[in-house]
Amino acid sequence: MRMHLLLIGLIVFAVALIYSTPSVSVLYGSHKLYNLTGAGNDVDCVSCHPQAADELSQSAYHKTLTCEDCHRNPYMKSVAFDNGSVVTKGSYAHAAYKPRCLDCHSQTSITKADGTVVSVRKADAFGDPGYGSDYSAHKKFVEGSLNYNIFEGENEACISCHTDYKIRFEFIRPLYVEYTIQKDANGNWYVDSSSITYGADNTTLILKPGSGKKHLFIPLNQIKCENCHSDIWATVQTGYNHITTGWKNPPIHDYTRVGTSYSNVTEYCQLSCHNPIVSGSPPAALSETVHAARRLSCYDCHNTAGNNGVFTVYSKPGNIYRNPPWSDRAMGNFDDYAINAPLFIQGNTCVDCKEVRQSTGTWYTPPVTFKSYFEPTTVPPSKI
């Protein structure tokens, strides 16, 4: 009896449903179509992308831009749109395209989607043809990002520093290098290329912290070198690579002054080495426009020209411009050789020689063989 009553109830409900509604839809609103014949964008991007909108609302930059300014701007790239009479097929996307950061930041002004012309900041060096100077420390990262296919164009490199995106990547370096410094018949020092040997590859995993929000652009003064180069910063504090334990006088290279003379690690990294303030007639390595940091070695500053006052370097701890010290006589004109040698040889020869002298009290002259460990290391360089 109960089954009969249940069956009758279901039949009555089904009949009522059929005659009371014109249709049944699983997805609410799935038959509501937008009229695209009007000017501008008729589709609410935020309805599907609320997270991106929320990130931009908290962003230091771009918060005043519309979705269309970046992703559907007819003045930048072609998209499929209907202006009321003619439909233009998009060469990049059906309704929105993925922009490159350099679509805008290789220029000094752009036209927004509504036709308004606004000024933009051109990216130093990277906004130039070929990404500018080879002295930009991150140029290879920008070039490499073209092959990763994670984001559009070079965007992986841009997003890594300029947003709160999380990054997981690896540095692969030899564990160590051994080399011998020799002296030729004229007394000039050089590294015997046949003596260079490397240890096995050593992989360092770096986890850059962040919320994972790629539309949350952070202020420039919040970009931290140590977030991506934590292994180097840890090694700097040992004094066994990158700098030596004895580089505290003059104080420009003294990492213990972070928090006093230097406001933070990034300022220390830039002003003490990777983007120093210079005056006079410095070499190209110190004068060409770069993006944030320079790819330098000790000998770009410490050479005959610097020692003779052709250019000077600003020391923030001393608030003074100084001649970078160098002695051709004591160093066998080694700067002339080193400046054309591979970059790791340039930096390591300087650090290794001084650190070994610091630990042994002995100043070694050629022929001498050093063994030097790369970042991250807790092993000091040694004479072998």
Side-chain angles (χ1 to χ4, degrees):
M1 184 65 179
R2 290 181 180 178
M3 291 298 295
H4 289 295
L5 292 175
L6 179 61
L7 181 60
I8 292 171
L10 289 174
I11 293 173
V12 171
F13 175 76
V15 171
L17 185 64
I18 291 172
Y19 282 96
S20 63
T21 60
S23 64
V24 177
S25 177
V26 176
L27 299 176
Y28 176 76
S30 61
H31 288 81
K32 179 183 177 182
L33 303 179
Y34 288 99
N35 182 353
L36 303 179
T37 59
N41 180 24
D42 302 289
V43 180
D44 181 16
C45 303
V46 177
S47 63
C48 288
H49 302 285
Q51 180 177 342
D54 180 64
E55 292 173 13
L56 281 172
S57 70
Q58 305 172 51
S59 178
Y61 311 105
H62 299 171
K63 66 171 58 179
T64 61
L65 297 178
T66 66
C67 303
E68 291 78 13
D69 289 331
C70 287
H71 295 280
R72 191 179 164 83
N73 188 336
Y75 300 98
M76 301 295 291
K77 292 182 180 179
S78 296
V79 292
F81 69 95
D82 186 345
N83 63 6
S85 59
V86 179
V87 175
T88 303
K89 294 181 179 179
S91 60
Y92 277 77
H94 167 68
Y97 58 78
K98 295 184 291 184
R100 294 165 57 242
C101 298
L102 290 178
D103 287 342
C104 291
H105 293 288
S106 60
Q107 308 176 68
T108 56
S109 65
I110 62 164
T111 303
K112 297 171 63 176
D114 63 2
T116 304
V117 177
V118 295
S119 297
V120 296
R121 177 170 177 174
K122 181 181 177 182
D124 294 339
F126 293 163
D128 295 331
Y131 308 119
S133 173
D134 288 341
Y135 289 112
S136 283
H138 299 113
K139 183 174 180 177
K140 289 187 180 295
F141 183 29
V142 173
E143 293 173 332
S145 66
L146 294 171
N147 302 317
Y148 300 151
N149 297 320
I150 298 176
F151 295 114
E152 190 74 8
E154 313 85 354
N155 287 5
E156 180 176 349
C158 305
I159 286 171
S160 296
C161 287
H162 290 281
T163 75
D164 203 36
Y165 204 64
K166 287 183 179 179
I167 303 292
R168 179 184 184 275
F169 56 95
E170 296 175 341
F171 284 115
I172 302 177
R173 309 180 181 94
L175 182 62
Y176 63 83
V177 61
E178 294 181 7
Y179 59 92
T180 300
I181 299 178
Q182 296 281 10
K183 181 168 60 175
D184 66 19
N186 296 318
N188 297 314
W189 296 10
Y190 67 96
V191 172
D192 179 3
S193 59
S194 66
S195 71
I196 301 174
T197 58
Y198 300 95
D201 284 349
N202 184 41
T203 300
T204 305
L205 176 64
I206 300 293
L207 299 174
K208 173 184 172 287
S211 63
K213 299 177 179 180
K214 69 177 182 180
H215 284 88
L216 180 56
F217 294 87
I218 62 177
L220 295 180
N221 61 8
Q222 290 184 16
I223 297 175
K224 299 179 179 179
C225 298
E226 69 271 27
N227 278 351
C228 291
H229 300 291
S230 55
D231 56 335
I232 293 178
W233 175 234
T235 302
V236 164
Q237 295 174 83
T238 68
Y240 296 154
N241 202 314
H242 243 70
I243 68 168
T244 82
T245 55
W247 283 358
K248 295 184 179 180
N249 187 26
I252 184 173
H253 297 302
D254 184 1
Y255 73 87
T256 65
R257 293 176 179 266
V258 172
T260 53
S261 300
Y262 296 106
S263 58
N264 51 52
V265 174
T266 297
E267 185 179 59
Y268 165 77
C269 294
Q270 290 186 313
L271 294 186
S272 73
C273 186
H274 287 287
N275 204 5
I277 299 172
V278 295
S279 65
S281 301
L286 297 173
S287 59
E288 288 187 2
T289 298
V290 298
H291 194 92
R294 297 182 182 275
R295 188 171 181 264
L296 300 176
S297 82
C298 308
Y299 302 104
D300 286 307
C301 288
H302 297 277
N303 52 49
T304 304
N307 187 69
N308 292 341
V310 175
F311 65 92
T312 57
V313 177
Y314 177 68
S315 171
K316 189 181 180 189
N319 192 28
I320 189 174
Y321 282 86
R322 296 176 54 94
N323 297 345
W326 175 258
S327 173
D328 272 336
R329 184 174 181 180
M331 304 295 291
N333 298 310
F334 193 71
D335 60 323
D336 295 334
Y337 159 81
I339 203 66
N340 296 308
L343 196 61
F344 81 91
I345 284 291
Q346 296 185 39
N348 281 60
T349 54
C350 188
V351 171
D352 296 345
C353 187
K354 290 184 177 295
E355 185 60 26
V356 169
R357 182 186 183 186
Q358 182 79 11
S359 60
T360 65
T362 301
W363 176 260
Y364 293 98
T365 57
V368 58
T369 300
F370 291 111
K371 184 174 185 177
S372 177
Y373 288 82
F374 290 103
E375 304 91 349
T377 181
T378 56
V379 181
S382 60
K383 173 186 175 295
I384 59 175

